[in-house]
Amino acid sequence: MTDDHEAIIPVWTLATGDVRVPAVAGDGPMTAERLTELRSVLAALADEPIATLEVHPLPGKLDRSRGLPLDAASPLAQHLSQLITQSARAKDAGEGLYRMVVPAKVAAQFGQGVVRPMAAKGFACGIRGPLVNSTGGIVAGATFVPVGKVAAAGAVGGAGATAGVAAAGSAALTVAAPLVLMAVAVGVSAHADQKRQQAIEHITELLEQLREEKLDAEHSELDGCRDAIDKATAILLDQGKLGASLGLDSAVHAINTALGAADRRLAQWQGALDKLPEGKGVEIGTLAKSFPGIDDEGGTFRAHLELAALAIALKQRVIVLQAVEHAQSDPDNLFRNFSRALKADHKRLETLETSIAGVLERLSALELARPQSLRPVFTTGEVDRLMRAANRIHKLGDGAMVDNRKADVAIEIARDKEGSVVVFPALPV
């Protein structure tokens, strides 16, 4: 979406604790460039994580099916409503597209790599672009006006806390730890579920071609974890308690088993690549022994890649659930618990993703040798097959280029008049 050139966009600066920072925001209007500079300054100077929250007009055409819906009684929707009603410049209805931007320095605390730029060309764990086209055009010609003077209406920090004014510094700085926590939790969970859906689509197509019962069973067991994860997500985001009846323990076991299989396959792939002679061409037949089907559109190797992507995406959702559960168990230390739990368990996933990307990049750089044959001339069909195989193998690296630079994270929340919200997948800015 694109705002009108005369649009006035309210923006909050949201702290997750009682902090002191220089009065850098002021009360006057800002350009998009000035707002970006402000985010950087706040991230560098503040002791506690600081996010910004903009409110844009709600687009007429918005694909809500790609986000996670929460009703008006959910904690996130209530925290957002409290912030709106307590703000001097908030709109009466509160309807709009709320866009929270968490600076890169802060986003790294949520687990480096949970949300990061990735190549869109390939199929392995790729991101196909933003759901709402707001990261580029949404601020075109708009003027941002700080929202200040939020009435203190409760203690800061607890799971049921409401927004309050920070002790000192900019008048626009608002303490809203629960709102930031819940927005990040839902946004990251939606992001991981988006990757799960993409992996499912590719696996289904591949397995229809392969007709391998063993891989089909592995896929079914992983896909069967979704129900328990969805229910656990809904319960935790409503600040409920998880019980054994959900089946989350069984789901986690299945996901961990799949991750173990991905680790073993990765070690085999790396070992096979290490055995290849350096500086020499490799025959397709030799490569296919360790990477079956690598020269085809489908193939077992590509199915193994997508199964790994699915397991990683499901595990990322579980990590968010575990982090929220930790945070809610200690409401006086909400944000630090959340970020610590996310970061610790995500390290293994990042290593696995990076290692798989390394395998794909090494494969894409291989030089293919002509097959050994007693005949001095190849047929047209043999030449075409070799060219197609070389092209497919070289394209493997397109989807493997992972950008590990720290990026700001944007979380978009569509809010209706009655207070219900839809949280879209978190995106790297």
Side-chain angles (χ1 to χ4, degrees):
M1 60 169 274
T2 303
D3 293 322
D4 296 333
H5 287 286
E6 302 299 327
I8 303 298
I9 306 299
V11 57
W12 289 267
T13 45
L14 305 179
T16 57
D18 196 355
V19 296
R20 292 178 178 272
V21 294
V24 294
D27 296 320
M30 295 180 288
T31 62
E33 292 75 14
R34 172 60 178 158
L35 180 59
T36 300
E37 293 173 359
L38 173 63
R39 290 189 186 114
S40 299
V41 171
L42 290 175
L45 298 181
D47 295 329
E48 298 286 346
I50 293 179
T52 59
L53 180 68
E54 312 156 16
V55 53
H56 299 260
L58 198 61
K61 296 181 179 180
L62 189 62
D63 184 9
R64 297 168 184 258
S65 65
R66 305 293 294 276
L68 293 182
L70 300 173
D71 62 33
S74 67
L76 184 142
Q78 289 182 342
H79 291 316
L80 186 58
S81 296
Q82 290 166 359
L83 181 69
I84 294 167
T85 56
Q86 294 165 9
S87 299
R89 295 182 180 178
K91 298 179 181 179
D92 293 336
E95 182 184 59
L97 183 67
Y98 290 78
R99 184 169 185 261
M100 182 181 295
V101 178
V102 183
K105 178 182 176 181
V106 177
Q109 298 182 41
F110 305 148
Q112 178 67 24
V114 173
V115 180
R116 61 187 174 192
M118 297 188 74
K121 295 180 182 178
F123 54 87
C125 302
I127 298 174
R128 273 64 176 178
L131 296 178
V132 182
N133 186 21
S134 59
T135 51
I138 196 169
V139 297
T143 300
F144 295 85
V145 179
V147 180
K149 304 294 184 182
V150 180
V156 173
T162 53
V165 179
S170 169
L173 191 63
T174 304
V175 179
L179 175 59
V180 178
L181 166 70
M182 298 303 290
V184 171
V186 185
V188 171
S189 183
H191 173 84
D193 192 57
Q194 182 189 34
K195 294 204 294 183
R196 181 200 63 81
Q197 292 175 23
Q198 293 167 354
I200 285 289
E201 292 171 3
H202 294 120
I203 292 172
T204 301
E205 183 179 347
L206 289 170
L207 292 183
E208 286 176 354
Q209 300 173 17
L210 289 172
R211 301 181 182 275
E212 287 197 20
E213 293 184 3
K214 185 177 180 180
L215 290 179
D216 190 57
E218 190 174 337
H219 167 226
S220 298
E221 187 172 10
L222 272 177
D223 196 32
C225 299
R226 181 188 175 185
D227 185 61
I229 292 175
D230 284 348
K231 285 186 174 67
T233 301
I235 289 173
L236 278 181
L237 294 180
D238 284 337
Q239 295 182 343
K241 298 293 184 181
L242 297 182
S245 61
L246 287 176
L248 190 60
D249 289 345
S250 299
V252 171
H253 175 73
I255 294 168
N256 288 339
T257 300
L259 288 173
D263 283 328
R264 290 192 300 273
R265 287 164 182 161
L266 172 63
Q268 292 171 355
W269 297 335
Q270 291 171 329
L273 286 171
D274 291 340
K275 292 177 182 177
L276 294 178
E278 294 185 11
K280 295 183 180 180
V282 182
E283 290 186 30
I284 287 291
T286 301
L287 205 57
K289 291 179 181 178
S290 300
F291 304 90
I294 192 173
D295 56 331
D296 296 326
E297 285 291 344
T300 302
F301 172 62
R302 295 172 191 265
H304 285 165
L305 289 175
E306 292 298 346
L307 285 169
L310 176 57
I312 289 170
L314 289 169
K315 184 64 174 181
Q316 285 175 333
R317 287 202 72 186
V318 170
I319 290 173
V320 176
L321 291 177
Q322 293 169 337
V324 174
E325 188 175 23
H326 276 277
Q328 291 180 354
S329 67
D330 186 3
D332 293 328
N333 193 13
L334 241 171
F335 204 81
R336 286 192 177 91
N337 268 346
F338 175 69
S339 59
R340 185 165 52 247
L342 265 180
K343 187 175 182 179
D345 209 4
H346 182 76
K347 198 169 183 179
R348 176 193 175 190
L349 296 186
E350 184 181 14
T351 301
L352 178 59
E353 276 191 305
T354 302
S355 299
I356 290 176
V359 166
L360 295 180
E361 288 177 346
R362 289 175 67 182
L363 284 170
S364 67
L366 289 177
E367 178 185 348
L368 295 183
R370 55 182 290 177
Q372 294 182 1
S373 174
L374 297 176
R375 292 182 289 109
V377 180
F378 285 105
T379 65
T380 302
E382 289 173 330
V383 172
D384 289 343
R385 180 175 179 270
L386 181 62
M387 294 295 292
R388 286 195 301 270
N391 186 52
R392 291 184 183 120
I393 292 172
H394 290 157
K395 282 186 176 180
L396 286 174
D398 291 345
M401 293 180 291
V402 178
D403 189 345
N404 285 316
R405 293 173 299 172
K406 294 180 181 179
D408 289 358
V409 172
I411 301 158
E412 290 168 343
I413 306 169
R415 184 182 188 273
D416 293 322
K417 290 182 179 179
E418 76 277 9
S420 63
V421 299
V422 176
V423 184
F424 294 98
L427 297 168
V429 177

